[in-house]
Structures are given as C-alpha cells and as structure tokens.
Amino acid sequence: MKVYEAMAEAFVAEGATTVYGMMGDANMHWMNAMAERGVELLEARHEGSGLAMADGWARGAGKVGVATTTSGPGVTQLATSLVCASRARTPMVLFCGESARGDLTATQYLDQQKFAEGVECEFVHVLTATKAQDAVRRAFWLARTKSRPVMVSAPFDVQLEEFDGAPFYLTSTELVDAAPRIPDPARIREAAAIIEESKRVVVLIGRGARTADAGDQVVELAELTRALVATTLQVKNWLRDRTPYYAGISGLYGTQAAHELLQEADCVIAVGASLNQFTTEHGYLYPAARMIQLDHADQVVTGTGQPVDCYVRGDARASLDRLLEVLRNNPTRSEGFHDEDIAARLREADTLRESFHREEGRLDPREVVLALDELMPQELPLVLGSGHQVDFGTMLFTRPREIVSNYGMFGAIGQAPLITMGWSLGRGRQPTVVIEGDASFIMHLAEFDTAVRYGWPVLIVVMNDEALGAEFHKSAAHGLRPELSAIPSPDLGAIALAMGGSGATVRTMADLQQAVGRYLANPGPTVIDVRISREVLSVPYRRLHFAEDV
C-alpha cells in the first residue's frame, strides 16, 4: 500500500465523507484513493472557494470539514478562506500536496509551514512514510481539540513511497475526552452570590450556548433572575420566541431600546459568549455591571480591557445546570427587568418608524428585508454576508430562524455564498438562503456553476446597489468622492439562467414576491438580483458616521 492510500484510509477512518477542493499533480493520487473508498469529491472552480465550502459544510454538519489542494499556488489560493475559517473557529483538515522533499528549485515550491503560520492555520508535516497516518491522526486531533483549520502537508515523493507504518489505525476520537467539563463548585457559589446581590440582570448568550443546546436552561435562568436575554451577533434571534424579555443583539446592531436597557444592568451572565469589544460596544453597554462568564475556553480580558468578576470554566449546559441548582433554592428576587412596560418596549423595538425611500427602478433595502423575512418559511436557514447591505438584514430579520453570520470573520467579502453552498450540503441538501452584496457575489461568480453542477438548493439574494456599498457611504461621510466606488453590474439574474440555474432581476416588490415564490416551489441553485437604492443608510452607519441615536 502506498502512502497516499494509507493516508486516504486514515481520513476515512476519521469520518471524512465529503472533500471540497481542486485537483493538481500533488494531490491527485490521494483524491483518487479517496474516491475509491466511497468519499464524495466536490470540485470547486477555485481552491479558496472549495475551502470556504468545506468551512460551511463543517458548520452545518457539526463535524470536521475536509478540503484539498495541490502544492504551491494551490496552497496560497487558500489564504483568505483560511483566516476566515480560523476566526470562525471551524474545525477543518486540509490535505495539501507539496513539492518533493528538498527540491527548492521546483516550480511550485513553497515553504508551506511558514504560509500556514501566517494565515492562522495549524500545520502537520508528512516527512516519512512511517509517520504518514500519525500525521493524519494528529491533524484531526488538533482540529477537534483546538477547533480550527489544520494543514496536512504531504510531499509528493513521500506520497508515492510504500507505507510501512502500524498495521492498525487508532482514530483521534479515541484520544479526545468528550466528557463534559464540570465547573468548580466554588465558582458556581461565587456566581450565585453576585446574582443574589443584583437587581438588573442580563443573560447574554453566544454561540457556545446554542451549540450546547442550552436553551431551556437559559430561559429558566432568565425567569429566576428576572433578566433580559441578549445575544451576540452569531446567535441573533435564537430564543426570541421563548421570552417576552428578549432584548436582541448586544452591540452596535442592537435596537435603541436594547441600548438603553442594557446600560441599566448591574450584572451580566455571559453564557458561551466571548464578551469582545463588539458585544460590549467597548464598554458602552454595561458601564456599571459586574460580569459573570460561563465558558469552556481559557479566560481572556473582555472588550473593555478588564477581566470578568467571576469566571466559571465549564461546558455551558453543565455550568448552567449547577448554577440553577443553587438559584432555585434562593428566595424570590426583586422584579428586575420583568415588568409589562419593559416587555412592551421590547415588542416595539424592531418596528421601523421611518417611511420607505421611493426611487424608480430601485427598492428600499429595508422594505426588501422585511418582505423576505415574511416570505421565507421560518425553517429556511439564513446566511448573512459582509458589507453595508448586510446591516439591514442583521437588524431587520426578526423571525426566529437559524442564522449563520459571517460578519466580523476577518471582514472579508465574498465568503458567504460559498459557506452557504457547503452549509446546505452539510445539512443534507437543506434549502438555504444567503443575503449578499453585488461586489461580494461577483467576486466568486464562477462558483455558481459549482452549485448548478451539483444541484445545490441555495438561494442567493444579491442586494445590488452597483457599488462597493460600505466604501460608497464611508466616502460620503469623509468628504471623499463616493462615485469612485460605484461599479456597474450586469444582469445577474440573466447570468444565473445562462449558467444553467434559475434567476431573476427584481425592481419591484411584486417581482420579489414572484421570484421567491418560484424558488420555494422548486428549490434549486437560484440568484435573485435585487436592485436597491444607495440613498438609504443603515442604522449602524448612521450611528458610526453621523452620531444618530436610532
């Protein structure tokens, strides 16, 4: 058995069923071996796109994603997608071919270890035939324990050697302790004491709480402490329908009512949330609150530059269960945030009170988002991209559907449609919608062919202002020439049809309703090119650039 075959067997043993990427000289033997073992190979049009799809697959499936590329230029093409996956803490293993050992004059030679370090990727080198399967096991162990991408760099000459390693393969899962991390009882008591002394509590939930499926515990905690429930951007709308005291996003994208109420908090219980500068709005939102943080990661300072008052290290559900055991035995507390006036303020917080902008041939992006929220069934997952246009969706989508936000993951445009393609397949070809801008979508337009080729049921709604929207509005705010960021756009609906998918270009609300209806009736690769006005500025930009309190 050759090394590339032994490595393929190790990948399969680790659970690899789907591989995204592109074939080249230095990975084609391994890809053939994977195909012979029943693994699905999905060829993208760009190496970085394939990796972003694997990122989405891993997020959707809740498993380690797998991608591949050839040596040298194939590896460098991964750069942006690798940083995005690392910032998103996505567990992935990448099989990357490499030039023959010691051949520094090879056309595709690259110091792939230095490259991996520069793009925040773990690195495992396959330097001998004997240790080839050990390298695969270590890569999957790192991906599972550190929750980040890992590059397995395999020189081409080593791949073609005879494998002379161990006769059996021990998977990384047998080396990972999956038992829940139990919190320190003293820390639980300390947290409970702080809560008992508090009058205005906020339970702030992040991705860790949702991943742990701790919704019931969060709702009970909020009821016991008479707390508001706020979220990080990554779990927007989660539990919205479970409590009348749902304050929504904590941070720049929060409502005016949320900003006012969160500043009154004297205690924050953060569950699976990092308390970074975006969530705390650099300390603006919780100026007088004591902070309790429940998380399994190592403790770090918050976005205010200070440590929390009480750090409880443990899995979210285990920590909440033990905290609730203590709190249930305590007397009833003060009313806290739970009164009808506050509930009414929160119910009205998302209501848009401004008139829609009217412009011939272009729609108000706020009206588009509100209509999409109603038109799309609640079970349809939503992926939000980057750029100015996504601000509207981030604030105005309010139905409690599953949302994947790519915002803040390195600030890279163009990734969200690729993540959506992988997410859909990771969820068993579940129809999924992504909201993205025109510059972002066109950046990886070739990958719509990939979606068509494999028949992925993704709906790409392009909020098309024919500009680099963020730069357009920032230029205007800084007294620069916004027209320099305006880029004419082709008819993206027609292009989607020409590529074999479905498509429509929308200039009226009736057009939008019909286009969404056609997709829902027969989900398949679809682009809806929605022409939106540049005259409407999002709430976050109004706050940042014009100091408007909206």
Side-chain angles (χ1 to χ4, degrees), residues 19-31 43 46-48 51 67-78 82 94-100 107-110 112 115 151-156 159:
V19 176
Y20 293 86
M22 289 188 72
M23 183 179 289
D25 289 350
N27 68 339
M28 63 183 185
H29 286 78
W30 177 83
M31 290 184 74
E43 288 267 7
H46 186 282
E47 291 92 341
L51 190 140
T68 186
T69 184
T70 191
S71 57
V75 173
T76 58
Q77 296 275 39
L78 302 176
L82 264 176
L94 325 171
F95 181 92
C96 297
E98 184 183 323
S99 301
T107 301
Q108 293 190 338
Y109 169 75
L110 173 71
Q112 295 185 180
F115 175 84
M151 180 186 298
V152 177
S153 190
F156 185 57
Q159 292 184 47

Side-chain angles (χ1 to χ4, degrees), residues 161-226:
E161 292 179 5
E162 290 294 326
F163 177 67
D164 59 353
F168 64 91
Y169 182 76
L170 181 71
T171 65
S172 66
T173 53
E174 297 181 65
L175 304 177
V176 176
D177 183 4
R181 184 185 292 272
I182 305 302
D184 180 353
R187 291 295 180 91
I188 292 292
R189 291 193 296 270
E190 182 183 347
I194 294 174
I195 295 168
E196 289 167 8
E197 296 168 1
S198 304
K199 299 183 183 300
R200 294 288 224 184
V201 177
V202 172
V203 180
L204 175 58
I205 50 178
R207 188 165 56 172
R210 186 176 67 181
T211 301
D213 194 21
D216 290 343
Q217 289 88 341
V218 168
V219 171
E220 183 180 355
L221 178 61
E223 185 60 34
L224 283 173
T225 58
R226 304 295 189 262

Side-chain angles (χ1 to χ4, degrees), residues 409-421:
M409 305 302 182
F410 195 40
I413 67 172
Q415 296 290 302
L418 312 174
I419 289 170
T420 305
M421 294 174 192

